[in-house]
Amino acid sequence: VAALCRALRRSEAEGDGPGWARTREEAEAALQELREVVRPLREPGYCEALRRKVERARKRRLRLQRRKLEARAAKEEAAARAAEREAKIDQWRAKCIQEVEEKNRERELKAAADSVLSEVRKKQADTKRMVDVLRGLEKLRKLRKEAAARKGVCPPPSADEAFETQVESLKTLLKTRTDLYEAEERALRVMLEGEQEEERKREMEKKQKKEREKLLQQKLEMNSKLFGDPAEFPLAHLLQPFRDYYLQAEHSVAALIQIRHEWDQYLVPADHPEGSCIPPGWVLPSLPTNDTWATAVR
């Protein structure tokens, strides 16, 4: 339009009648087209409809941005849960590997002790067999000596003394070895019993540790249900005074005596029709029975 206006002025200044008329027709056509474009803006309600359209576009853009942020947050939360799950799996795997290694070491130690004990028992059996052989030799010499005496042949006393000396020397050696092997067997048995006692002690400690962890987890869950999640509700939260009130007996003897006195007023037998005995721990709240209650609890 501006260009057409400049062309009209230029044609008028130059005295170009046909050019001016042609330019004027083009300007009128452009003005008519512009009027057609602007005409809807003059209609009643058009601006309001345009405003609603812009508002819908803005809300749609905000909704897309919110969904994108929610998707990103959900993705980050899923990644955090996956990382936590992987960490727990790695911890469980490391614990299993450690338990397997401990069992393998204990098995190897027991196998080594059993092997040594087997060697000791083998040596004891060999010693016993040698003692039996020595007794058989003594019996055989006695029988041969009696047979020779019946035939009138008697060995010299020096031969008997040499035989007795040799036999006594062998008996002393075998006795020493027997005592040594018995002492070695007792030492191995004591060592095995000590290892078994240590194993029983370790198993007992593991069992007690699991029981303590279970009780601690139950206590944390109970406190979370009663007082809220500590990570979600810090110590400065408005529920902290209630927590201090319910736990005051753990920090004050006077409060403990007062609370116990108030409880003792309601002591009744277990079979009393109008009451019940004091529970041993916290009374946990029941689960929500409707959606409205559930939303309030959350």
Side-chain angles (χ1 to χ4, degrees):
V1 176
L4 291 173
C5 290
R6 288 194 297 271
L8 282 173
R9 293 192 188 98
R10 186 169 56 253
S11 298
E12 185 178 2
E14 293 176 355
D16 186 5
W20 182 85
R22 186 172 56 254
T23 305
R24 184 172 178 274
E25 292 177 357
E26 293 177 357
E28 289 179 353
L31 182 60
Q32 184 64 27
E33 183 179 357
L34 184 60
R35 286 174 180 172
E36 292 293 331
V37 173
V38 177
R39 185 171 56 82
L41 297 177
R42 297 176 180 177
E43 294 180 358
Y46 181 80
C47 292
E48 182 65 21
L50 184 62
R51 188 187 64 79
R52 288 197 299 268
K53 184 176 180 181
V54 172
E55 184 66 18
R56 285 196 300 270
R58 187 183 66 84
K59 289 182 178 180
R60 181 174 180 273
R61 185 170 58 255
L62 292 177
R63 186 167 59 253
L64 292 177
Q65 291 179 355
R66 185 170 61 253
R67 288 180 180 177
K68 186 182 295 184
L69 292 176
E70 290 176 353
R72 183 184 303 171
K75 185 177 180 181
E76 292 177 354
E77 184 179 358
R81 287 198 300 267
E84 183 180 0
R85 186 166 56 251
E86 289 294 333
K88 290 183 178 179
I89 291 175
D90 293 339
Q91 184 179 3
W92 173 79
R93 185 185 298 114
K95 183 179 179 181
C96 291
I97 292 175
Q98 183 180 1
E99 291 179 354
V100 171
E101 290 178 352
E102 290 179 355
K103 290 182 179 180
N104 289 335
R105 285 196 297 268
E106 293 170 0
R107 191 180 299 109
E108 291 175 357
L109 181 61
K110 186 177 179 181
D114 290 340
S115 177
V116 176
L117 185 60
S118 177
E119 285 291 329
V120 171
R121 289 176 177 173
K122 183 179 179 181
K123 292 177 181 178
Q124 287 178 337
D126 294 339
T127 304
K128 185 178 180 181
R129 187 166 54 254
M130 293 176 65
V131 171
D132 294 337
V133 171
L134 187 60
R135 289 176 180 173
L137 288 175
E138 287 181 332
K139 187 175 181 179
L140 178 61
R141 188 176 188 282
K142 181 179 179 181
L143 293 174
R144 288 184 176 181
K145 185 177 178 182
E146 291 176 354
R150 285 195 298 270
K151 295 179 180 180
V153 178
C154 296
S158 59
D160 294 337
E161 292 178 1
F163 181 79
E164 293 294 335
T165 302
Q166 190 68 25
V167 169
E168 290 298 328
S169 176
L170 291 175
K171 286 182 178 180
T172 303
L173 179 60
L174 294 176
K175 181 66 169 56
T176 303
R177 289 188 177 182
T178 301
D179 295 341
L180 178 62
Y181 296 153
E182 289 179 355
E184 190 173 354
E185 182 182 6
R186 285 194 300 269
L188 288 173
R189 290 188 178 277
V190 170
M191 185 179 69
L192 289 175
E193 291 177 358
E195 288 295 331
Q196 293 175 357
E197 183 65 26
E198 288 293 330
E199 177 64 19
R200 287 193 294 269
K201 186 177 180 181
R202 284 194 293 268
E203 291 295 332
M204 183 62 66
E205 289 177 354
K206 289 181 180 179
K207 185 176 180 181
Q208 292 176 354
K209 183 179 179 181
K210 289 182 179 179
E211 290 294 331
R212 288 194 300 269
E213 291 177 353
K214 183 178 180 181
L215 292 176
L216 179 60
Q217 184 64 27
Q218 292 177 353
K219 183 178 179 181
L220 292 176
E221 293 178 357
M222 188 180 299
N223 291 338
S224 177
K225 292 179 179 179
L226 290 171
F227 308 110
D229 189 0
E232 184 178 358
F233 300 101
L235 296 179
H237 196 266
L238 57 89
L239 291 179
Q240 185 61 28
F242 300 95
R243 181 182 178 89
D244 294 338
Y245 172 76
Y246 285 110
L247 298 180
Q248 59 179 330
E250 297 183 1
H251 309 286
S252 173
V253 178
L256 175 62
I257 295 175
Q258 177 64 26
I259 294 172
R260 181 58 188 267
H261 175 69
E262 294 175 357
W263 274 100
D264 289 346
Q265 296 178 359
Y266 301 96
L267 286 176
V268 294
D271 56 350
H272 198 278
E274 298 182 358
S276 60
C277 59
I278 298 176
W282 290 104
V283 179
L284 296 178
S286 58
L287 296 176
T289 57
N290 53 54
D291 297 336
T292 305
W293 184 9
T295 57
V297 171
R298 288 196 295 270

